[in-house]
Amino acid sequence: MGTRCRFRRPSPVQEPPLIDLGLDLVERDGWAVLVVSGEVDVATAPRLRERLIELVNRGHHRIVVDLVGVEFLDSTGLGVLVGALKRVRTHDGELALVCAEPRILKVFEITGLTKVFSIFGSVDEAVGAG
Amino acid sequence: MGTRCRFRRPSPVQEPPLIDLGLDLVERDGWAVLVVSGEVDVATAPRLRERLIELVNRGHHRIVVDLVGVEFLDSTGLGVLVGALKRVRTHDGELALVCAEPRILKVFEITGLTKVFSIFGSVDEAVGAG
Amino acid sequence: MAETVALEIPARPDFLALARLIVAATAAADPLLPEDRIDDLRLAVSEACTNAIEAHQRVGSEQSNIRIECRLSPEQVEVEVRDHGAGFDPDVLVDHPPATDPARLDHERGLGIPLMRVLTDEVEFRSTTDGTTVRLVLRVSAVRRGR
Amino acid sequence: MAETVALEIPARPDFLALARLIVAATAAADPLLPEDRIDDLRLAVSEACTNAIEAHQRVGSEQSNIRIECRLSPEQVEVEVRDHGAGFDPDVLVDHPPATDPARLDHERGLGIPLMRVLTDEVEFRSTTDGTTVRLVLRVSAVRRGR
Ligand SMILES: Nc1ncnc2c1ncn2[C@@H]1O[C@H](COP(=O)(O)OP(=O)(O)O)[C@@H](O)[C@H]1O
Ligand SMILES: Nc1ncnc2c1ncn2[C@@H]1O[C@H](COP(=O)(O)OP(=O)(O)O)[C@@H](O)[C@H]1O
């Protein structure tokens, strides 16, 4: 059933982690690669933001955000990425995006953000170009 | 997007076939095997009923209905199968079901219809037993 | 505090799948409901919606909507299906012959309400000549007790 | 003849995914809408719902519902998102600096309405101090013309 667990309500008992946003960290060639999966919207974007802030605070200033596993990305998600780019720039760092899905790329295109971000087709290209 | 095309509305132009019920016929060892896929409910059951009636009318009295690809089956679907069993019996024929999914088997169990139908785990077993 | 998700669909078989979709997705918000219980609820609600759609068809009002309301609370998931058909008396329903009786095969219908009763923890019908509301309840505690 | 599917959800981010689910599934009923246009509509509606949810949060009424109404007709798919927030003036919105201006990075918000405008064929805001209704339209003819 593909409809299961898109969201969770507050519950009286301890709650399992939300399963609609995956955030996995891989380190490669001096880059912190954050692999994002699921849906990035106003419900889940705060977790993405926190995670990116935490990375920068821990000294990671070369970050790749891998969006290949992202099924949905809205303006809130774009805002989080803009904020993260600004944050790494204040540390003279870099932020690269990996995105291959036309549906997600389109959101960057129509907002003009393809001119703001470096977007690559694979993590290899992103860390190679850095 | 797993949500696409569960149903179709009437349209002014010619309509593509509904994609939520698959009905494929295979003949094996003297059995007509009707492979059903998708969701069997009040919207789609009439097509299953027609197809089964047509098979019997064309002289197929030994029928296997393969429900392995069925994701959803409701009481309307059960009714169609009961009607088909009655129909083949009037021709001294047989109707066997193939079903492995606990979710679908459960519907037969709680309605007592496991006692009415011969239910097998695979088409091989169904045609072998006949 | 209960949270309510409501869906209104035309009283037409084509839209049944939408009702199932929303009930399953809403019930999945309850981390304590295992997937097989959600399947049970989905089928029970689908049966109730089928009856609602047929009730509208009988009075020729396929144009008006049926409403499916899901209420989540810590104790239970409750779904109400409301139609504007002609109503019925839930206490006067045909029983089927036993499965072993050959006459069982004469009955292709009448399994919807029995299914609802087995699949959920509570079924309630409120029916008048202006329409019917079916209330289906899954208790979360019944799940926790390993039901 | 238009067919209407309506969804009501609590004004909470958790329920946004349900709105997307129902809009995509309803729009998919139109065999003439290609999948990428359904994706466009899904994102546009999601943005409108996000704004509705935030509008409710600002006035502290997360408890009341927002309503998403999808109307299918042969010519178009129309979605209305109705909230009970404090309203706003859609003609007074902040413009972003151009993408090449370093100051662009100071703006993390304000992309929702621009996205809605590009992704759909028509956007209309009706806003009073009692709430806002956003109407989003995809024309089927625009699709057929290969838009
Ligand atoms: N919402 C309803 N409005 C009017 N009549 C109903 C409704 N639900 C059920 N009924 C009546 O109860 C009967 C039994 O329903 P059910 O057990 O679901 O079997 P079936 O729908 O296959 O007949 C229906 O045939 C119908 O006459
Ligand atoms: N439904 C609404 N109710 C009240 N205000 C709204 C509504 N929709 C949009 N707005 C206002 O318009 C602004 C711009 O919206 P938008 O372009 O979606 O960007 P963002 O939501 O990121 O600020 C919002 O910040 C809000 O002030």
Side-chain angles (χ1 to χ4, degrees):
Chain A
M1 207 174 51
T3 54
R4 190 161 166 77
C5 291
R6 298 299 186 96
F7 67 102
R8 299 220 162 255
R9 71 188 168 102
S11 145
V13 299
Q14 216 217 314
E15 214 148 299
L18 278 146
I19 66 155
D20 48 1
L21 187 78
L23 294 172
D24 294 298
L25 187 68
V26 183
E27 306 211 13
R28 260 196 56 189
D29 305 339
W31 290 80
V33 181
L34 187 63
V35 183
V36 188
S37 59
E39 301 190 298
V40 185
D41 66 7
V42 73
T44 58
R47 271 176 283 151
L48 176 60
R49 178 184 289 114
E50 271 166 43
R51 194 66 196 273
L52 285 165
I53 291 177
E54 181 201 312
L55 279 182
V56 176
N57 288 349
R58 275 171 31 206
H60 292 285
H61 303 149
R62 284 156 55 92
I63 298 177
V64 172
V65 181
D66 178 355
L67 301 171
V68 168
V70 168
E71 290 153 36
F72 180 83
L73 180 83
D74 74 356
S75 68
T76 322
L78 293 177
V80 167
L81 296 171
V82 167
L85 179 59
K86 184 176 176 184
R87 205 162 279 117
V88 296
R89 289 249 173 102
T90 62
H91 294 277
D92 286 325
E94 291 172 81
L95 183 125
L97 303 181
V98 177
C99 180
E101 176 71 47
R103 188 178 2 156
I104 306 292
L105 275 174
K106 182 173 183 176
V107 188
F108 288 94
E109 276 156 19
I110 60 188
T111 52
L113 290 175
T114 40
K115 296 200 200 74
V116 172
F117 290 105
S118 309
I119 305 181
F120 301 90
S122 69
V123 173
D124 280 344
E125 290 171 58
V127 303
Chain B
M1 209 174 54
T3 56
R4 188 159 167 79
C5 291
R6 296 301 186 96
F7 66 100
R8 299 222 164 255
R9 72 192 168 100
S11 144
V13 299
Q14 218 217 317
E15 212 147 302
L18 279 145
I19 68 155
D20 48 2
L21 186 78
L23 294 172
D24 295 298
L25 187 68
V26 183
E27 306 209 15
R28 257 195 59 187
D29 305 338
W31 290 81
V33 181
L34 188 63
V35 183
V36 189
S37 58
E39 301 189 298
V40 185
D41 66 8
V42 74
T44 59
R47 271 177 283 151
L48 177 59
R49 179 185 289 115
E50 272 167 42
R51 195 67 196 272
L52 286 165
I53 291 176
E54 182 202 312
L55 279 182
V56 176
N57 288 348
R58 276 174 28 211
H60 292 285
H61 303 148
R62 283 157 54 95
I63 298 178
V64 172
V65 181
D66 178 354
L67 301 170
V68 168
V70 167
E71 290 153 36
F72 180 83
L73 179 83
D74 74 355
S75 68
T76 323
L78 293 177
V80 168
L81 296 172
V82 167
L85 179 59
K86 183 175 176 185
R87 205 162 279 118
V88 297
R89 290 247 174 104
T90 63
H91 295 276
D92 287 325
E94 293 173 80
L95 183 126
L97 303 180
V98 177
C99 180
E101 176 71 49
R103 189 182 357 159
I104 306 293
L105 275 174
K106 183 175 183 175
V107 186
F108 288 93
E109 277 156 20
I110 60 188
T111 52
L113 290 173
T114 41
K115 295 199 200 77
V116 172
F117 290 105
S118 308
I119 305 181
F120 300 91
S122 69
V123 173
D124 280 345
E125 290 170 59
V127 304
Chain C
M1 185 202 65
E3 276 166 348
T4 303
V5 170
L7 179 72
E8 291 167 10
I9 52 170
R12 287 232 328 268
D14 294 354
F15 290 88
L16 248 185
L18 277 190
R20 291 198 290 269
L21 198 63
I22 216 68
V23 165
T26 304
D30 190 327
L32 296 175
L33 277 187
E35 199 148 337
D36 63 330
R37 291 297 279 158
I38 295 175
D39 287 338
D40 291 349
L41 183 66
R42 187 168 69 129
L43 176 52
V45 171
S46 191
E47 296 289 347
C49 291
T50 300
N51 286 346
I53 290 168
E54 291 179 337
H56 278 233
Q57 284 173 337
R58 276 195 294 272
V59 297
S61 66
E62 290 98 323
Q63 289 325 314
S64 59
N65 275 359
I66 66 171
R67 184 175 166 96
I68 300 106
E69 221 171 274
C70 315
R71 280 190 284 275
L72 299 168
S73 71
E75 302 79 30
Q76 62 185 33
V77 179
E78 184 184 293
V79 182
E80 281 197 354
V81 178
R82 199 171 310 164
D83 69 56
H84 304 98
F88 77 116
D89 183 350
D91 296 328
V92 189
L93 295 172
V94 205
D95 266 347
H96 288 141
T100 43
D101 185 337
R104 173 66 190 83
L105 296 189
D106 297 333
H107 298 261
E108 296 186 21
R109 307 194 46 126
L111 288 173
I113 292 175
L115 271 172
M116 291 181 221
R117 295 203 191 279
V118 178
L119 293 168
T120 63
D121 296 313
E122 195 183 329
V123 183
E124 185 199 353
F125 295 93
R126 293 194 300 274
S127 196
T128 71
T129 50
D130 291 332
T132 302
T133 299
V134 183
R135 198 171 134 264
L136 300 159
V137 180
L138 275 198
R139 295 227 179 72
V140 174
S141 53
V143 173
R144 264 209 229 103
R145 275 188 269 109
R147 207 203 110 108
Chain D
M1 185 203 65
E3 276 165 347
T4 303
V5 170
L7 179 72
E8 291 168 9
I9 52 170
R12 287 235 325 271
D14 293 355
F15 290 88
L16 247 186
L18 276 191
R20 290 198 292 269
L21 196 64
I22 217 69
V23 166
T26 304
D30 191 327
L32 296 175
L33 278 186
E35 199 148 337
D36 63 329
R37 291 297 278 160
I38 295 176
D39 286 338
D40 291 350
L41 182 66
R42 187 168 69 130
L43 176 51
V45 171
S46 191
E47 295 290 348
C49 291
T50 301
N51 286 346
I53 289 168
E54 291 179 338
H56 278 234
Q57 284 173 337
R58 278 196 293 272
V59 296
S61 66
E62 288 100 324
Q63 288 326 311
S64 58
N65 275 359
I66 66 170
R67 183 175 166 97
I68 299 107
E69 220 171 276
C70 314
R71 279 190 284 275
L72 298 168
S73 70
E75 303 77 33
Q76 60 186 31
V77 178
E78 186 184 292
V79 182
E80 281 197 356
V81 177
R82 199 171 311 163
D83 69 55
H84 304 97
F88 77 117
D89 183 349
D91 297 328
V92 188
L93 293 173
V94 205
D95 266 346
H96 287 142
T100 43
D101 184 336
R104 173 66 189 83
L105 296 190
D106 297 333
H107 298 262
E108 296 186 21
R109 305 194 46 126
L111 288 173
I113 292 174
L115 272 173
M116 290 181 224
R117 294 203 192 278
V118 178
L119 293 169
T120 63
D121 296 312
E122 196 183 328
V123 183
E124 185 200 352
F125 296 93
R126 293 193 301 273
S127 196
T128 70
T129 48
D130 291 332
T132 302
T133 299
V134 184
R135 198 171 135 264
L136 300 159
V137 181
L138 274 198
R139 294 225 181 71
V140 174
S141 54
V143 173
R144 265 208 229 105
R145 275 188 267 109
R147 205 199 112 108

